[in-house]
Amino acid sequence: RSDMKIALVHNQTPETLSVAAKFKEMCLSEKIEIITDHPDLVVSIGGDGTLLSAFHKYEEQLNHVRFVGIHTGHLGFYTDWRTYELPELVESLKHDKGESVSYPLLDVRVKYADEEEETRYIALNEASLKKMDGTMVCDIYVKDELFETFRGDGLCVSTPTGSTGFSKSLGGAVIHPRTEAIQLTEMASVNNRIYRTLSSPMIIAKDEWIVIYPHKEDRLILSVDHLTFKKRSIERLVYRIAQERVHFARYRHTHFWDRVEDAFIGVKKNDRNERTKER
């Protein structure tokens, strides 16, 4: 599209800066405008962390902005394009027809002890709650019913796209990103004759929500994706699927389970094809 307006977000590594400069030059030669405010498309150059930064920079514009990622490190779940594919990407931008795929986001409502109104955050990957020292104790409700009293290091609530990140390292399930659900995983729960928790990931349907009431409000650390909020007393947290969705510009399709296999198993494509033929 000749009227395409693009915002560029990148990290500061030497390779990324070089790629960003080359990408800008190619866009300008094709009359693709690069701006900061109210873009049609946000291009992230770096890794998944850079794309998270881009997402939160433009989270107020999710209804009309799309994202695309160029990776300059390890292949990520949000970064589709490699650095040597810049000409192909620019060509796709020139012929953009609004192609996109959208995924669920996490709505986090926090009631701080020193504020009357709730504070709202939105997460692309996950939100976690931990205690700075000692054991965190909190009541966990599913909708309006008490489910358990948790004791342990902390809790993580993730989106389907975030299920391959921190949640997976805690033993959470990998969830296909088209699934309308959120997942709760525990961090080192205390289980003995006195204290019991489910000690298993919980996948919550789209019409349900999770409420957490910490027993002690202070010395808790709340993280929303890569953002961390400390030293504020928290009375209550509510997690549910957000009304907004994230939209990724997809000019070609990469199967989700291929991404998972590539990221965590890493079987060479030729070996995989040979095994498939044997069957």
Side-chain angles (χ1 to χ4, degrees):
R1 279 170 43 189
S2 59
D3 62 341
M4 171 79 74
K5 294 180 175 61
I6 291 176
L8 197 57
V9 178
H10 57 80
N11 62 34
Q12 297 298 312
T13 66
E15 182 184 359
T16 297
L17 292 173
S18 174
V19 172
K22 185 177 179 181
F23 181 73
K24 284 181 185 178
E25 183 181 335
M26 295 173 70
C27 285
L28 292 174
S29 69
E30 297 293 343
K31 305 294 191 293
I32 297 173
E33 188 178 357
I34 296 178
I35 63 172
T36 302
D37 298 326
H38 304 291
D40 302 304
L41 190 75
V42 176
V43 176
S44 163
I45 305 178
D48 281 351
T50 308
L51 197 137
L52 280 174
S53 297
F55 169 81
H56 284 283
K57 182 176 180 178
Y58 291 96
E59 65 178 73
E60 299 297 327
Q61 302 177 39
L62 293 176
N63 288 335
H64 67 266
V65 74
R66 292 173 294 148
F67 296 86
V68 65
I70 303 168
H71 72 88
T72 55
H74 297 292
L75 179 62
F77 280 87
Y78 299 127
T79 49
D80 281 342
W81 297 85
R82 299 176 185 270
T83 54
Y84 58 79
E85 295 178 310
L86 291 186
E88 186 181 345
L89 174 56
V90 172
E91 192 66 22
S92 296
L93 296 177
K94 284 170 55 181
H95 300 94
D96 179 272
K97 295 182 177 64
E99 305 98 322
S100 69
V101 60
S102 68
Y103 298 136
L105 297 169
L106 177 65
D107 181 303
V108 185
R109 307 289 175 113
V110 185
K111 174 62 176 68
Y112 290 109
D114 58 353
E115 291 185 1
E116 288 293 325
E117 301 294 325
E118 289 181 324
T119 299
R120 181 180 187 253
Y121 303 104
I122 192 165
L124 177 58
N125 274 356
E126 75 277 311
S128 64
L129 185 68
K130 297 178 282 189
K131 193 166 184 182
M132 294 179 69
D133 50 47
T135 300
M136 186 179 86
V137 183
C138 60
D139 292 330
I140 300 176
Y141 285 71
V142 178
K143 296 179 75 170
D144 298 321
E145 297 290 331
L146 177 64
F147 181 78
E148 68 178 22
T149 297
F150 172 85
R151 292 168 177 83
D153 287 356
L155 295 162
C156 171
V157 182
S158 72
T159 65
T161 47
S163 68
T164 54
F166 185 36
S167 178
K168 183 179 181 298
S169 72
L170 297 171
V174 174
I175 302 176
H176 194 286
R178 286 202 305 270
T179 306
E180 298 284 335
I182 57 176
Q183 180 172 198
L184 173 69
T185 49
E186 301 177 355
M187 304 179 206
S189 57
V190 176
N191 281 281
N192 51 36
R193 288 187 300 171
I194 301 172
Y195 304 127
R196 302 297 301 172
T197 67
L198 182 62
S199 298
S200 176
M202 295 173 62
I203 298 173
I204 307 298
K206 65 179 181 179
D207 59 347
E208 298 185 334
W209 58 91
I210 298 167
V211 187
I212 294 175
Y213 292 94
H215 282 204
K216 291 187 178 180
E217 303 166 359
D218 59 343
R219 304 190 67 76
L220 296 175
I221 303 172
L222 172 66
S223 295
V224 179
D225 291 332
H226 64 302
L227 307 172
T228 301
F229 309 92
K230 300 179 182 178
K231 298 181 180 178
R232 296 189 67 183
S233 295
I234 296 174
E235 291 183 358
R236 180 184 69 245
L237 301 100
V238 183
Y239 306 85
R240 55 166 52 88
I241 292 178
Q243 289 187 343
E244 303 95 330
R245 294 174 68 86
V246 63
H247 300 271
F248 289 97
R250 283 285 158 83
Y251 305 115
R252 59 187 183 186
H253 178 68
T254 303
H255 197 281
F256 173 72
W257 297 112
D258 285 344
R259 293 172 185 267
V260 172
E261 186 276 333
D262 183 63
F264 298 111
I265 301 172
V267 177
K268 291 181 180 178
K269 190 171 183 179
N270 289 340
D271 293 343
R272 186 167 64 240
N273 290 341
E274 287 301 317
R275 287 211 309 253
T276 301
K277 289 178 184 177
E278 289 173 5
R279 293 200 182 103

